[in-house]
Amino acid sequence: MREDYIWDFYSDDSGAYTDFKEKMTYGDYLQLETLLDSQKRLSDHHDEMLFIVIHQVSELWLKLMIHEIEAATNAIQNGEYQAAFKMLARVSKIQTQIIHAWDVLSTLTPAEYMEFRGFLGNASGFQSYQYRLVEFVLGYKTPHIVKIYEKDPVLHKRLKSAFEAPGLYDVSIQALAKEGFHINQSILERDFSSKYQQDPTVADAWLEIYRNKDTYWNLYQLAEKLVDIEDWFQQWRFRHMKTVERIIGHKTGTGGTSGVGYLKKVLDHYFFPELWEVRTKL
């Protein structure tokens, strides 16, 4: 087959639709006009576009993460493990994307950022309600965060609902009990709006699962999917911290936090503590 014929085959667009007067286009479906008109620079600085796009793209990825984690949580509650595993694997892949976003943002130099930083006022990623929703659906609850969004009743209601609902780790622990493992009743019936505290019965259950993975294959896979998510989350937090340090050093964040100091502190938090503890005990 001639090379030019192959090229013609792949570049042939003679059958492509061109009349869209009454048909939906690609741009219509994705609402691109609205999406691409959402990058409103407050300064004339060239690099502010980079700053806006990176954060907007990350918010879109966070939206998909929430969508997948909430669905996986429901699947686990219904014993639909294979569906949950696929969703959680997708979450891990999404996390690789938002980690790499920091590599792009780190091309912004300190001198360049300082030329438009003042236009941000007190706007900060600390206020990202989707990031907080990710924390809530994973099971990490911080009550003072909900207060930030009281001025928006619709958003506040959504956050409060996620804040009070069982998170991904809560339903995973419930799955242990359903499979016959002894879990302290106080853990199963706890107030899900409170911060989770490590429990020895949960640790013992995961240890038994890891020692007998063939017997408890679904729960073993579930454990590893959770570890994947936590691992990538911590890598995201680390890249966030180092990118901030690279660009603004140890300045106070625009949202009033200690900046790098705050980001370093959250690196010590674990969503699924017993799953890390079990590695030492095996």
Side-chain angles (χ1 to χ4, degrees):
M1 185 178 292
R2 292 184 301 109
E3 184 177 343
D4 59 346
Y5 179 81
I6 295 175
W7 173 252
D8 287 342
F9 176 79
Y10 282 105
S11 62
D12 181 17
D13 60 0
S14 60
Y17 291 108
T18 56
D19 182 2
F20 285 95
K21 291 178 181 177
E22 297 182 3
K23 293 187 178 76
M24 179 176 65
T25 66
Y26 171 81
D28 294 334
Y29 176 68
L30 295 178
Q31 300 183 55
L32 285 182
E33 186 173 346
T34 300
L35 184 65
L36 299 178
D37 193 42
S38 297
Q39 293 73 48
K40 309 289 189 183
R41 286 185 294 168
L42 298 180
S43 74
D44 293 328
H45 198 282
H46 173 83
D47 289 338
E48 190 182 354
M49 180 64 76
L50 162 69
F51 192 81
I52 293 171
V53 168
I54 287 295
H55 286 86
Q56 288 183 341
V57 168
S58 295
E59 288 291 337
L60 287 172
W61 282 128
L62 289 174
K63 182 173 184 176
L64 185 55
M65 282 178 63
I66 295 162
H67 176 73
E68 298 294 343
I69 295 170
E70 288 181 334
T73 298
N74 290 332
I76 293 168
Q77 285 179 311
N78 295 326
E80 299 167 354
Y81 290 109
Q82 297 307 313
F85 295 158
K86 180 173 182 179
M87 295 166 191
L88 295 178
R90 182 175 292 162
V91 170
S92 293
K93 292 297 184 182
I94 294 167
Q95 289 175 293
T96 67
Q97 297 299 309
I98 60 174
I99 289 170
H100 288 311
W102 296 121
D103 296 335
V104 182
L105 187 59
S106 65
T107 63
L108 179 67
T109 68
E112 291 162 344
Y113 180 50
M114 291 310 296
E115 291 185 41
F116 66 85
R117 188 186 189 224
F119 288 87
L120 274 61
N122 294 123
S124 166
F126 179 80
Q127 298 144 13
S128 168
Y129 71 84
Q130 289 204 125
Y131 174 78
R132 299 307 174 181
L133 275 171
V134 169
E135 288 188 330
F136 290 175
V137 296
L138 288 177
Y140 181 56
K141 311 293 178 69
T142 44
H144 68 280
I145 294 298
V146 181
K147 187 175 178 60
I148 296 173
Y149 307 97
E150 285 180 345
K151 73 172 187 176
D152 185 333
V154 175
L155 180 54
H156 183 259
K157 182 179 179 180
R158 185 183 180 198
L159 281 158
K160 193 169 184 294
S161 176
F163 183 74
E164 295 173 349
L168 178 62
Y169 197 45
D170 295 313
V171 300
S172 297
I173 292 172
Q174 290 169 359
L176 300 179
K178 289 176 183 177
E179 290 294 326
F181 288 97
H182 168 65
I183 304 295
N184 282 330
Q185 203 64 26
S186 60
I187 294 295
L188 300 174
E189 298 176 353
R190 75 185 191 87
D191 176 3
F192 296 116
S193 65
S194 62
K195 192 177 296 184
Y196 176 75
Q197 301 294 330
Q198 285 182 250
D199 181 83
T201 61
V202 174
D204 289 345
W206 288 125
L207 182 60
E208 181 69 16
I209 288 162
Y210 272 83
R211 284 175 172 165
N212 299 279
K213 59 184 177 59
D214 292 336
T215 303
Y216 304 108
W217 184 249
N218 280 335
L219 294 175
Y220 174 71
Q221 287 191 87
L222 174 59
E224 285 298 288
K225 290 290 185 291
L226 295 179
V227 170
D228 285 343
I229 288 173
E230 176 126 54
D231 189 353
W232 285 115
F233 205 98
Q234 288 295 72
Q235 292 186 52
W236 180 87
R237 281 172 163 168
F238 179 78
R239 288 295 295 124
H240 184 188
M241 182 270 293
K242 294 306 292 184
T243 302
V244 171
E245 185 176 21
R246 175 173 176 157
I247 296 174
I248 68 167
H250 289 264
K251 290 184 179 71
T252 300
T254 51
T257 69
S258 58
V260 169
Y262 168 78
L263 296 173
K264 283 184 176 179
K265 183 173 66 175
V266 298
L267 282 172
D268 293 330
H269 168 259
Y270 286 95
F271 291 104
F272 320 126
E274 290 90 355
L275 289 174
W276 296 93
E277 179 183 287
V278 75
R279 278 141 170 81
T280 303
K281 292 183 175 180
L282 276 173

